[in-house]
Structures are given as C-alpha cells and as structure tokens.
Amino acid sequence: MILLDECLSPHVVMPQRDHIRLDWREPYPTLERARSVAWTCWCRATIYELYEGGGRAFVRRTLQLDDGHQVHETSTWTISEARAIWMALLSGKAR
Ligand SMILES: [Zn+2]
C-alpha cells in the first residue's frame, strides 16, 4: 500500500443525493483584493477555493484539464454564509 504524504488539504466527498446545487458562473471581478483563505487538495481534477475580501466571500471552482483550466465562481455571500457553504461543499451537502 502506498501512502500519499502530499495531501495536506481536504478533499471533497461525494455529493449527497439531495445536495444544494450552487450556481456556478463565468468568473468576473467581484471583490477587490479577494484572497484565497481555504482550498481543497490539488491532487484532484477539480479544486475548490474559498475567497474572502471586503466582508464578502465566494467559492471558485477550477477544473484542471489537459489543455488548461476551466474556472467558475459562485456569486458572493457574507463571510459567515460563505464559510457555512464551504463546509457544506466539503462534506457533500453542496456542490
Ligand atoms: Zn490529495
């Protein structure tokens, strides 16, 4: 058995059947100086990042493809709403 010691960041789990469907949009600059405060592991093809800035937050989804990256983002929420959605995303309650 090979243990991967590279994975320090969380992985998302399989979405639940009744999970909340997030509205993924083409990215556009919404928050000034938004910075990534949490992210899922880069070993997976799809990476999720939580961005916060100016009291608002959103989630960015990056699909790593052979010929580049496909990026989508949610609309913005308050930081506490976004953190709740982030936890739901990691645990399969939202996707
Ligand atoms: Zn990993």
Side-chain angles (χ1 to χ4, degrees), residues 7 11 41 43:
C7 292
H11 302 132
C41 187
C43 76

